[in-house]
Amino acid sequence: MTSFSKDKVTETFAHLHANPELSWKEYETTDFIKQKLEEAGCKVRVFDDCTGVIGDIGNFAEDTPVVALRADMDALWQEVDGKLQANHSCGHDAHMTMVLGVLWKLKDSPDLLDKIGVRFIFQPAEEVGAGALKLVEHGVVDDVDYYYGIHLRPFQETENGKAAPAIIHGATGSIEIEVRGDDAHGARPHLNSNSVEVGTYLVNAIHTIYLDPTIPHSAKVTRFQAGGQNTNIIPGNASLAIDIRAQTNELMEELQKQVYAVVNSANELFDSSVKITHEHGIAAACVDSDAQRIAQRAIELTLGKENTVEPIITPGGDDFHFYTIKKPHLKATMIGLGCDLGPGLHHPNMTFDRDAMYNGIDIMTEIVKLHAEGDVE
């Protein structure tokens, strides 16, 4: 009896899709994946201080290569059909299913596993840009030579049935700002700084930031909250959030400096305290040319050269790239999988061609085979 079957893939995806969990709260997902890894004979590791699970199979002797495959686990919190809920609208349910599919296919080739060590990394908290850094702390890639991820791509980027050997993600960041002052009566606007006006200044000033137009970038306010139920009160407090993106890490650094300058100018202009209270970001992609070349060959062998597309350049981000930044020895790339995904990533009603998952499984299985056979030059 074979380990791999389409029914098993379908059932696994259906379970994961129907049971989404938020970042750092992927408890049931961790337990479910752990069970699947153990059933397949993997050596399994979980963590005391976070969700996530890894499984090792094959030969981890000193002279054998170690290849890792990563799947992100968390869902988004968003309104779906009028109800706020956890929702797998970024494809992480598919990513987990595909990585498990590779495991099952490899189990049907035991001779192959004598030649290579394969680590399956199921990572929490990708959506908040923190899970990769946490697993780096736990040393999950310290002994890994090559590292591969995979991500569903919207139809606007990649046609169904095609795949790219790399996704060139941009750097992304989030900056949260608090405006603090005193409320005042609507009849006495001279007694305070109106936090709505302070926030409006921030919005307009951010829109005047101009950087190199040949490198994609953006900065925009994505949250602005001020005032209450009473319309005759001039609010003194407000909160704002800014989303910033740049295709390179260097331009992101410059963009951050410009936003900091806007915040400083608001402090000088208004009789309010304007402070950055929280910020986090994800680095731009650091794709290894060897890993990309091997991924391209695997795509050509499974889907054909005619269905192998150029690396995808996208302003979206992924914390996958923290692994290579923190562990420079890693050779890594992320495969972009065409799957007729629409209307788009993070849309509450996102759908895709689920049969495309078999393409992803075949590509990643072929990558492992190339490494096991030493056919990577």
Side-chain angles (χ1 to χ4, degrees):
M1 180 178 178
T2 61
S3 294
F4 177 86
S5 72
K6 288 192 173 182
D7 285 345
K8 187 183 289 189
V9 170
T10 300
E11 292 167 4
T12 299
F13 175 81
H15 174 86
L16 292 168
H17 184 72
N19 294 277
E21 295 180 294
L22 300 179
S23 305
W24 299 126
K25 297 180 180 179
E26 309 95 334
Y27 305 115
E28 292 185 8
T29 305
T30 296
D31 289 342
F32 177 81
I33 297 294
K34 179 176 180 288
Q35 179 183 350
K36 296 298 182 184
L37 294 172
E38 289 174 340
E39 289 174 354
C42 288
K43 179 181 177 182
V44 175
R45 179 184 174 192
V46 292
F47 310 100
D48 294 335
D49 60 348
C50 69
T51 46
V53 55
I54 67 173
D56 288 349
I57 199 166
N59 186 351
F60 280 77
E62 188 173 341
D63 58 344
T64 56
V66 176
V67 172
L69 305 178
R70 178 264 212 169
D72 30 19
M73 303 169 66
D74 51 334
L76 291 155
W77 181 255
Q78 60 187 161
E79 185 176 324
V80 182
D81 298 328
K83 179 184 176 182
L84 283 169
Q85 62 183 66
N87 187 41
H88 270 307
S89 58
C90 199
H92 295 186
D93 44 0
H95 303 165
M96 289 184 282
T97 302
M98 286 188 284
V99 169
L100 285 173
V102 176
L103 168 60
W104 296 327
K105 280 219 162 188
L106 292 175
K107 283 289 290 181
D108 293 331
S109 302
D111 293 344
L112 199 69
L113 292 174
D114 290 337
K115 305 173 184 177
I116 192 169
V118 186
R119 177 164 297 155
F120 303 93
I121 298 176
F122 293 85
Q123 179 211 300
E126 185 278 328
E127 294 294 354
V128 295
L133 290 171
K134 188 64 175 178
L135 293 197
V136 166
E137 289 179 14
H138 282 291
V140 302
V141 293
D142 286 357
D143 57 344
V144 172
D145 301 304
Y146 282 84
Y147 197 20
Y148 297 92
I150 191 166
H151 207 299
L152 306 183
R153 305 316 300 165
F155 73 88
Q156 299 96 332
E157 287 185 0
T158 313
E159 293 180 29
N160 193 11
K162 300 180 183 293
I167 305 174
I168 313 300
H169 287 105
T172 70
S174 174
I175 299 174
E176 298 183 36
I177 299 171
E178 294 289 341
V179 178
R180 287 289 175 261
D182 295 321
D183 290 349
H185 194 287
R188 299 172 179 83
H190 62 292
L191 296 181
N192 81 335
S193 289
N194 187 336
S195 65
V196 174
E197 295 173 353
V198 178
T200 300
Y201 168 81
L202 291 168
V203 172
N204 291 332
I206 287 167
H207 286 167
T208 66
I209 295 174
Y210 295 104
L211 301 177
D212 186 346
T214 65
I215 304 175
H217 65 277
S218 68
K220 60 277 184 189
V221 174
T222 54
R223 185 181 73 226
F224 185 170
Q225 297 172 336
Q229 293 184 356
N230 295 99
T231 59
N232 62 345
I233 295 176
I234 303 172
N237 299 328
S239 67
L240 297 90
I242 304 167
D243 179 271
I244 55 177
R245 296 174 185 265
Q247 199 60 53
T248 67
N249 291 319
E250 293 76 16
L251 196 69
M252 172 58 80
E253 184 177 351
E254 180 59 30
L255 189 55
Q256 288 172 323
K257 290 179 181 178
Q258 295 282 353
V259 172
Y260 299 157
V262 168
V263 173
N264 290 336
S265 68
N267 266 309
E268 295 176 0
L269 287 170
F270 298 97
D271 187 23
S272 297
S273 168
V274 185
K275 293 183 178 180
I276 294 174
T277 57
H278 181 72
E279 57 181 319
H280 76 271
I282 298 173
C286 296
V287 176
D288 178 79
S289 58
D290 289 339
Q292 179 179 321
R293 175 178 49 77
I294 295 164
Q296 178 167 333
R297 188 167 177 211
I299 296 169
E300 292 174 351
L301 289 170
T302 54
L303 304 185
K305 288 187 177 182
E306 69 278 10
N307 292 316
T308 306
V309 300
E310 293 295 314
I312 299 164
I313 298 175
T314 173
D318 197 295
D319 74 349
F320 178 79
H321 308 295
F322 278 136
Y323 290 103
T324 49
I325 289 172
K326 295 296 183 179
K327 300 293 181 179
H329 76 277
L330 271 180
K331 295 186 174 185
T333 190
M334 178 174 283
I335 297 152
L337 184 68
C339 56
D340 198 26
L341 187 153
L345 291 167
H346 291 203
H347 190 284
N349 298 314
M350 183 274 279
T351 61
F352 69 98
D353 178 7
R354 295 180 182 180
D355 284 343
M357 288 191 291
Y358 301 115
N359 289 341
I361 292 169
D362 289 343
I363 292 166
M364 289 190 290
T365 303
E366 188 64 35
I367 286 173
V368 175
K369 287 181 178 179
L370 290 172
H371 282 285
E373 299 295 345
D375 194 10
V376 293
E377 297 300 327

